[in-house]
């Protein structure tokens, strides 16, 4: 930085001296004094030479500094391996989770919660074990044993400090922040993602009066304490329910209140009834809002999102519903691929397993597996295929073939090997991959065959397929 300043000063001085050189002869002509004219002419020549020398030095220094200057980091440049972005949600309070099985499907991050009213049942006394419900120390240890990153919501309110299901008075905000600080201190240095509350713009926060203001105030109190007690951790918020117009209005209110100065990422839950590609427009709007209120490069995390597979939906509950396991598998695969292409550093699929066996209950059918954690659904097979195929690849670019409903993604790994993922949201049709390939072609559920050649005609369907070059 100092070199750049000196360089600019050289250029500025050179320009000023050269500029003066232009005006001194004019002043000389007006005075029309012969002897003085000779002296001034000599001075102008000297000034001109000095100006040119200084200007030359400045330009030379500029070229040297520019050559060796560190490149300015660009926002939203995709440097993520796909494997870094794959996560899922669990509910340990509903039954023991098979962490080993989770790891086997290529999942690297798991989201669950620490529950305030379980841990603090007397004011100021925290029981992470021997609380009559769950041994949180043993729970956290499972993450470490299986090398999974914990993503922990800090939930919700506590009747010791008020009847409302909201952090809406000074006492409960202070108590919540103290409890969160105790959690961070107990489980520090474990690379935990700490999420402050969950969906405060929805039904988990009632009444909603001034919810954006009260929530931001709670974050301002809580985030610094978490960071102080667990420097290895990451603080994310607000776990926004939805990504439509009304949720984004609520989100902007928190930005106005200054929440972005206290968090490391904006977490959203972009549930929708339609296809996952539609989220691209929502991310664009959220990024525009972030840029409006800060110059910091704050990423977006997809902290919870899934589709329930229900062939006989009764129209009740969350409308993120698809009519078959095949469509759930398609949407899951495309969701992870789209989020990775949009430089979303983490995608949490909701849910690891079905919450029950009711075939018409939306909440019972979001899982990757059936409720027994033994019976796989097509979505978990698709996830394993995706992970096995592209886990070590980084997104390179989307190849334009003239139809904005066609998605042909190109990937590169550390060995400079190239891979592709391709599908369409349009009716099934064919396209020509102009690049030369030699390797394997793999469908969404893992069936594969050899492929070799250039300008190969390939089918585009709603189920993504992959090509992996191996030469």
């Amino acid at each position: 930085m100092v070199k750049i300043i000196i360089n600019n000063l050289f250029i500025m001085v050179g320009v000023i001296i050269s500029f003066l050189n232009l005006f001194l002869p004019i002043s000389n002509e007006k005075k029309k004094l012969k002897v003085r004219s000779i002296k001034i002419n000599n001075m102008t020549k000297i000034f001109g030479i000095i100006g040119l020398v200084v200007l030359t030095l400045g330009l030379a220094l500029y070229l040297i500094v520019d050559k060796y200057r560190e490149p300015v980091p660009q926002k939203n440049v995709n440097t993520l391996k796909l494997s870094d972005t794959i996560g899922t949600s669990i509910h340990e309070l509903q039954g023991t989770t098979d962490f080993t099985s989770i790891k086997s499907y290529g999942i690297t991050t798991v989201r669950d919660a620490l529950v305030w009213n379980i841990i603090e049942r007397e004011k100021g006394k925290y029981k992470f074990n021997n609380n009559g419900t769950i041994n949180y120390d043993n729970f956290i240890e499972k993450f470490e044993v299986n090398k999974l990153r914990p993503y922990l919501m800090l939930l919700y309110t506590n009747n010791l400090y008020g009847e409302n299901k909201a952090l809406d008075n000074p006492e409960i905000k202070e108590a919540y922040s103290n409890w969160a600080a105790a959690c961070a201190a107990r489980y520090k240095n474990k690379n935990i993602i700490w999420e402050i509350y969950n969906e405060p713009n929805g039904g988990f926060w009632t009444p909603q009066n001034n919810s954006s203001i009260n929530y931001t105030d709670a974050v301002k109190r809580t985030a610094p304490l978490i960071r102080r007690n667990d420097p290895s951790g990451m603080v994310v918020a607000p776990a926004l329910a939805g990504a439509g117009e009304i949720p984004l209005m609520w989100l902007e209110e928190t930005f106005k209140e200054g929440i972005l100065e206290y968090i490391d990422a904006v977490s959203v839950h972009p549930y929708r009834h339609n296809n996952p590609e539609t989220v691209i427009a929502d991310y664009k709007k959220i990024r525009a809002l972030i840029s409006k209120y800060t110059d910091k490069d704050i990423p977006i995390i997809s902290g919870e999102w899934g589709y329930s597979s229900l062939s006989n939906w009764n129209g009740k509950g969350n409308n993120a519903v698809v009519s078959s396991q095949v469509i759930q598998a398609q949407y899951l695969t495309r969701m992870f691929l789209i989020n990775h292409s949009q430089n979303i550093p983490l995608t949490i699929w909701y849910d690891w397993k079905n919450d029950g066996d009711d075939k018409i209950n939306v909440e019972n059918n979001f899982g990757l597996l059936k409720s027994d954690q033994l019976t796989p659904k097509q979505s978990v097979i698709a996830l394993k295929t995706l992970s096995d195929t592209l886990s070590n690849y980084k997104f390179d670019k989307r190849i334009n073939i003239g139809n904005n409903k066609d998605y042909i993604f190109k990937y590169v790994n550390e060995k400079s090997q190239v891979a592709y993922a391709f599908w369409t949201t349009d009716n099934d049709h064919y396209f020509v991959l102009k690049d030369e390939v030699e390797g394997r072609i793999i469908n969404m559920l893992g069936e594969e065959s050899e492929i070799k050649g250039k300008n190969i005609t390939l089918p585009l369907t709603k189920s993504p397929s992959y090509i992996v070059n191996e030469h």
Side-chain angles (χ1 to χ4, degrees):
M1 178 60 73
V2 173
K3 288 182 179 179
I4 294 171
I5 293 171
I6 293 172
N7 147 53
N8 290 335
L9 285 173
F10 265 112
I11 294 175
M12 190 166 27
V13 171
V15 170
I16 291 171
I17 293 173
S18 299
F19 186 73
L20 287 173
N21 181 40
L22 293 174
F23 285 93
L24 282 170
I26 295 173
S27 175
N28 168 51
E29 286 178 10
K30 287 183 179 180
K31 294 186 177 181
K32 297 180 181 179
L33 295 174
K34 187 175 181 180
V35 176
R36 193 175 181 87
S37 173
I38 294 171
K39 291 180 180 180
I40 291 176
N41 280 334
N42 289 335
M43 288 174 63
T44 57
K45 289 177 181 178
I46 293 170
F47 272 118
I49 292 169
I50 293 171
L52 288 172
V53 169
V54 173
L55 188 57
T56 302
L57 287 172
L59 290 171
L61 184 58
Y62 172 82
L63 292 173
I64 293 169
V65 171
D66 186 64
K67 181 177 180 180
Y68 294 102
R69 185 184 303 163
E70 289 291 324
V72 177
Q74 296 181 10
K75 288 188 176 184
N76 302 318
V77 173
N78 201 320
T79 59
L80 301 165
K81 289 182 180 179
L82 182 70
S83 58
D84 297 332
T85 71
I86 299 176
T88 193
S89 290
I90 63 171
H91 304 288
E92 187 70 5
L93 290 174
Q94 295 179 9
T96 303
T97 303
D98 186 346
F99 279 78
T100 304
S101 180
I102 287 178
K103 184 72 175 177
S104 71
Y105 286 103
I107 294 165
T108 55
T109 301
V110 175
R111 182 175 183 256
D112 202 350
L114 301 180
V115 180
W116 185 13
N117 63 15
I118 290 176
I119 294 171
E120 184 180 359
R121 295 185 175 179
E122 294 181 56
K123 284 189 177 183
K125 295 181 180 180
Y126 308 121
K127 288 188 176 183
F128 294 90
N129 308 317
N130 302 316
N131 51 44
T133 304
I134 183 173
N135 185 322
Y136 277 118
D137 288 352
N138 289 346
F139 174 59
I140 297 299
E141 186 180 3
K142 292 178 183 179
F143 288 89
E144 294 184 278
V145 169
N146 291 279
K147 297 181 180 179
L148 293 165
R149 187 178 190 183
Y151 183 149
L152 300 179
M153 298 174 281
L154 296 167
L155 302 182
Y156 277 109
T157 55
N158 193 312
N159 289 338
L160 294 173
Y161 301 98
E163 294 299 321
N164 287 346
K165 199 174 182 179
L167 305 177
D168 58 0
N169 67 70
E171 183 186 13
I172 197 170
K173 290 174 188 176
E174 183 179 1
Y176 178 89
S177 63
N178 289 338
W179 166 70
C183 294
R186 190 174 187 89
Y187 301 120
K188 64 184 177 181
N189 301 325
K190 301 183 188 300
N191 197 30
I192 293 173
I193 299 170
W194 299 100
E195 189 163 54
I196 299 175
Y197 215 85
N198 179 56
E199 299 188 350
N201 62 315
F204 294 117
W205 184 295
T206 55
Q208 274 285 308
N209 301 340
N210 298 316
S211 58
S212 60
I213 295 172
N214 280 316
Y215 176 74
T216 303
D217 185 33
V219 171
K220 289 179 178 180
R221 294 166 182 258
T222 305
L225 299 181
I226 293 174
R227 285 205 176 99
R228 183 193 69 192
N229 289 351
D230 180 19
S232 77
M234 179 180 182
V235 179
V236 304
L240 185 74
E245 182 180 355
I246 293 175
L248 293 191
M249 289 173 61
W250 189 95
L251 183 66
E252 185 170 11
E253 290 301 314
T254 69
F255 289 1
K256 290 177 182 178
E257 294 294 317
I259 197 173
L260 291 172
E261 296 304 311
Y262 292 83
I263 60 176
D264 300 306
V266 173
S267 56
V268 298
H269 300 171
Y271 284 101
R272 61 203 55 232
H273 182 62
N274 51 1
N275 56 294
E277 291 80 6
T278 56
V279 79
I280 294 173
D282 297 328
Y283 290 148
K284 184 177 181 180
K285 292 174 184 177
I286 295 170
R287 285 196 169 107
L289 285 177
I290 292 171
S291 297
K292 182 178 177 181
Y293 291 96
T294 183
D295 292 328
K296 293 166 64 178
D297 189 7
I298 297 179
I300 302 166
I301 284 178
S302 178
E304 182 182 317
W305 181 13
Y307 292 89
S308 180
S309 57
L310 264 166
S311 59
N312 193 25
W313 182 38
N314 60 13
K316 297 179 181 179
N318 193 324
N319 71 348
V321 175
V322 293
S323 60
S324 70
Q325 286 193 30
V326 173
I327 299 175
Q328 186 189 47
Q330 291 172 342
Y331 279 18
L332 172 143
T333 307
R334 286 154 51 183
M335 183 186 82
F336 278 105
L337 291 171
I338 286 292
N339 279 357
H340 185 222
S341 77
Q342 293 297 302
N343 207 24
I344 304 301
L346 180 60
T347 298
I348 301 293
W349 172 266
Y350 186 89
D351 207 359
W352 163 241
K353 66 180 181 68
N354 284 353
D355 287 345
D357 299 315
D358 187 341
K359 294 182 179 180
I360 64 170
N361 184 316
V362 172
E363 295 301 326
N364 279 192
N365 292 277
F366 276 99
L368 297 169
L369 295 93
K370 296 290 184 70
S371 60
D372 60 6
Q373 291 188 87
L374 297 173
T375 308
K377 295 166 68 176
Q378 290 193 34
S379 54
V380 84
I381 298 171
L383 178 62
K384 184 166 176 56
T385 303
L386 171 66
S387 176
D388 287 348
T389 305
L390 294 180
S391 62
N392 292 320
Y393 284 82
K394 297 177 182 179
F395 176 80
D396 181 40
K397 65 179 180 179
R398 179 180 178 183
I399 299 172
N400 184 357
I401 60 170
N403 183 346
N404 61 11
K405 294 182 179 180
D406 293 343
Y407 293 82
I408 294 87
F409 287 175
K410 183 179 179 180
Y411 299 85
V412 180
N413 66 14
E414 291 177 350
K415 297 178 182 179
S416 298
Q417 293 175 314
V418 174
Y420 304 87
F422 50 95
W423 74 94
T424 186
T425 59
D426 207 345
N427 295 325
D428 294 357
H429 58 280
Y430 292 87
F431 82 106
V432 176
L433 182 63
K434 296 181 179 180
D435 296 355
E436 186 169 2
V437 297
E438 183 176 358
R440 296 173 295 137
I441 183 168
I442 306 152
N443 73 10
M444 182 180 74
L445 298 179
E447 296 175 349
E448 62 179 71
S449 58
E450 293 183 359
I451 186 170
K452 182 178 180 179
K454 188 176 182 180
N455 295 322
I456 300 175
T457 300
L458 297 165
L460 276 175
T461 73
K462 293 179 174 62
S463 297
S465 293
Y466 314 97
I467 290 176
V468 177
N469 267 325
E470 295 177 330
H471 297 277

